Amino acid sequence: MNRYLDYFGPSLIRRVVLAILLAFALIWVVLALYGYWSETNPAERDRMLLTQGKMMVQVLEKAQTDTEAKMVMATHSDLYNLNYRELQIPRVMLFQLSNAQGRLLYLSPEAQGRALPQGNATLYDIRRNGETYRVFHAKTPRWELMWAVPSLNSFWFFKMVVVSMSIEMLIALPIMILTIWLVVARGLRPLRVLSGTIAAKHRDDLSPLNFASPYAELKPLTAALDHLLDQLRGKIEREHAFVQDAAHELRTPMAVISAQAHVLTLAATPAERKTAEKNLEQAIHRASHLIAQLLDMSHIDNDRLKPDELIDVAALLQRELAHLVPAAMARQIELSLNAPDTLPCRTDSNALQTIAQNLLNNAILYVNEGDQIEVQLQVANTCLILSVADNGPGIAEADRERIFERFYRGAGHDVAGTGLGLAIVAQAVARLNGHISLGSGLGGQGCCFTVTLPYQV
């Protein structure tokens, strides 16, 4: 059944052949209309009659005697009218030739002995037996020629053009279709080979296809497929590393929780019990925080970005800073925001909020009591720029290259953390097609994280 559907379903070759048939039909119509127009257009008809009449006069000029001239006219009359009869044209042409003295040398038998009336122009119309004729009249020093061509019925002309065109098109059509069919079928062979190569790959095989396409049109497709496979390989490798790192990091708080639960069970005094409860609560909090950050990272990596919504970035930062005011006041940390009152921007609000929360939380955790944190928001060169600077202890030069890696925590501080905050920020910035950099903080001390994102309204 599937093969039946594949055969009779949509087909590129059949679409090409149908397109050829449609093109042939359009060409046939256009050529038929053009042929009909050229045959019935008075100006075109007169041009052809003048051209052929002048050629006949040139032939007559070569005749030396009346007899020779008469033979020329009889030959032309027979040829033209024979052609009319073969084409089944229901009319005849009339020829008349006189010499310079006015003596009639030749008159077409079809004229039935009635001479053609003379006119004052080279081309003029006459009526004969109820039919209209267009007459070509030429006088030379030796001869006077009159050639009457019947004005044929328009419908008959259209029928003749359609029939003659149809015969030619029907002869050309099968040759054209067969040629196109063979060329397209042969041209699609590399595509079938490519699909067979993909189908033959194992489900776990994400290696490059290494398919050498003979056609330039297929090279972007194979390059895109190899790029997609490379992205999938990287994603799977990151997920494996993520699971391993997450399991490793969760092992420590889980072990602490288990140990403190055991201590709590065996506590002999209220003081021991209170200490165990405090340690257990801290371990649970650390595990919960780690799990929450792991979920944030998973969502950022796997969730699709929302369609860009118009949000006030300045208001979003103000709300995030307001949440941190109590923690900052407890440690006498000075928070400041340098930003416009409002700054509308089309972006993903969840990703931007994740960036702001992690940068601000990191700054609060790692600066010393009494230090300063300055948040700046601006638009420059069609970019949205968010910077969080402090004058805290900073990050050692040796740690700066790896500071955005998952679970990496620099040395030289005793702040409890998971090593995921900046990795989450870097991942969210990448999802928004932005860039994050680390520089010196306030007064050349501490850190300054600068996030640059595309700005659009």
Side-chain angles (χ1 to χ4, degrees):
M1 183 65 179
N2 289 335
R3 291 182 178 179
Y4 178 84
L5 292 175
D6 289 341
Y7 184 79
F8 291 97
S11 166
L12 182 59
I13 296 180
R14 279 197 293 275
R15 285 181 66 90
V16 171
V17 172
L18 289 175
I20 299 258
L21 289 174
L22 178 60
F24 258 69
L26 292 175
I27 292 172
W28 179 84
V29 171
V30 171
L31 291 179
L33 291 176
Y34 175 77
Y36 172 75
W37 173 83
S38 63
E39 293 290 345
T40 58
N41 182 38
E44 183 68 15
R45 180 194 61 186
D46 287 352
R47 185 189 67 80
M48 293 181 64
L49 184 57
L50 281 172
T51 300
Q52 294 176 1
K54 290 176 181 178
M55 291 174 60
M56 193 179 301
V57 170
Q58 291 178 358
V59 174
L60 278 173
E61 286 298 307
K62 296 178 181 180
Q64 299 299 321
T65 63
D66 291 353
T67 302
E68 291 179 358
K70 181 178 179 181
M71 291 180 61
V72 169
M73 291 306 302
T75 302
H76 277 82
S77 176
D78 292 341
L79 288 176
Y80 277 108
N81 285 320
L82 178 61
N83 187 43
Y84 263 37
R85 284 190 291 272
E86 289 179 350
L87 294 176
Q88 298 181 349
I89 298 176
R91 301 287 185 275
V92 291
M93 294 184 182
L94 304 178
F95 293 86
Q96 179 176 309
L97 179 67
S98 303
N99 59 16
Q101 292 73 36
R103 184 166 64 90
L104 183 64
L105 300 177
Y106 179 83
L107 180 63
S108 295
E110 293 82 3
Q112 299 177 353
R114 296 172 55 193
L116 299 176
Q118 293 187 359
N120 297 324
T122 304
L123 296 175
Y124 57 92
D125 291 333
I126 65 171
R127 296 283 293 178
R128 175 66 61 90
N129 298 327
E131 302 292 340
T132 301
Y133 288 80
R134 188 70 168 168
V135 179
F136 170 78
H137 182 206
K139 259 184 120 174
T140 70
R142 300 173 60 192
W143 319 108
E144 181 179 8
L145 168 67
M146 298 178 70
W147 177 19
V149 178
S151 299
L152 301 178
N153 182 273
S154 296
F155 175 77
W156 182 90
F157 256 125
F158 185 75
K159 179 181 176 182
M160 182 192 70
V161 170
V162 168
V163 171
S164 61
M165 286 292 302
S166 298
I167 294 173
E168 295 172 358
M169 296 293 285
L170 288 175
I171 293 173
L173 184 59
I175 301 173
M176 196 72 171
I177 290 179
L178 180 60
T179 304
I180 294 296
W181 189 290
L182 293 176
V183 169
V184 173
R186 183 176 179 83
L188 290 178
R189 187 179 301 168
L191 189 59
R192 290 193 291 269
V193 174
L194 176 60
S195 62
T197 302
I198 296 173
K201 288 177 74 69
H202 190 269
R203 62 182 182 182
D204 295 327
D205 182 10
L206 296 178
S207 61
L209 295 173
N210 295 323
F211 181 79
S213 171
Y215 302 120
E217 291 80 4
L218 276 182
K219 290 180 180 178
L221 174 61
T222 55
L225 288 172
D226 283 338
H227 179 64
L228 177 61
L229 290 172
D230 181 64
Q231 287 182 317
L232 290 174
R233 281 197 310 274
K235 184 177 179 64
I236 291 175
E237 289 171 0
R238 289 194 303 271
E239 288 180 350
H240 286 168
F242 179 75
V243 170
Q244 292 174 359
D245 291 342
H248 175 75
E249 291 296 324
L250 282 171
R251 187 181 297 121
T252 300
M254 291 298 104
V256 173
I257 291 173
S258 176
Q260 294 303 321
H262 184 68
V263 171
L264 182 61
T265 303
L266 301 177
T269 65
E272 291 178 355
R273 185 178 183 85
K274 186 174 182 180
T275 301
E277 288 177 350
K278 182 179 178 180
N279 292 336
L280 181 61
E281 184 179 347
Q282 290 177 348
I284 292 174
H285 175 74
R286 181 184 177 189
S288 299
H289 181 61
L290 177 58
I291 291 171
Q293 288 197 308
L294 289 173
L295 289 174
D296 286 343
M297 180 163 285
S298 177
H299 289 160
I300 291 173
D301 196 32
N302 296 315
D303 289 354
R304 291 185 178 179
L305 287 175
K306 295 180 181 178
D308 289 343
E309 52 182 329
L310 188 62
I311 64 172
D312 189 343
V313 182
L316 183 147
L317 279 180
Q318 291 168 7
R319 290 193 299 269
E320 294 303 321
L321 282 171
H323 295 156
L324 296 175
V325 167
M329 291 180 63
R331 300 184 59 205
Q332 298 180 350
I333 296 172
E334 180 182 341
L335 286 177
S336 63
L337 173 63
N338 182 10
D341 293 335
T342 60
L343 184 56
C345 177
R346 290 194 178 275
T347 186
D348 185 279
S349 59
N350 290 338
L352 187 59
Q353 186 176 18
T354 298
I355 294 170
Q357 284 178 350
N358 282 278
L359 287 179
L360 293 173
N361 284 331
N362 265 22
I364 292 289
L365 286 174
Y366 287 95
V367 298
N368 299 322
E369 289 190 9
D371 284 345
Q372 297 177 335
I373 298 175
E374 182 179 297
V375 181
Q376 187 170 1
L377 180 67
Q378 60 179 329
V379 174
N381 298 326
T382 67
C383 292
L384 179 69
I385 301 175
L386 168 65
S387 62
V388 179
D390 62 62
N391 59 351
I395 299 174
E397 289 293 334
D399 295 329
R400 292 197 172 196
E401 292 185 1
R402 301 185 58 192
I403 199 65
F404 296 109
E405 294 181 11
R406 294 173 178 176
F407 301 107
Y408 182 79
R409 302 184 70 241
H413 56 78
D414 56 357
V415 178
T418 62
L420 284 175
L422 291 178
I424 292 174
V425 171
Q427 197 166 332
V429 170
R431 287 297 301 276
L432 294 178
N433 298 318
H435 172 72
I436 184 170
S437 60
L438 171 60
S440 300
L442 302 175
Q445 299 180 2
C447 300
C448 179
F449 290 93
T450 302
V451 175
T452 304
L453 301 174
Y455 176 74
Q456 56 180 347
V457 179

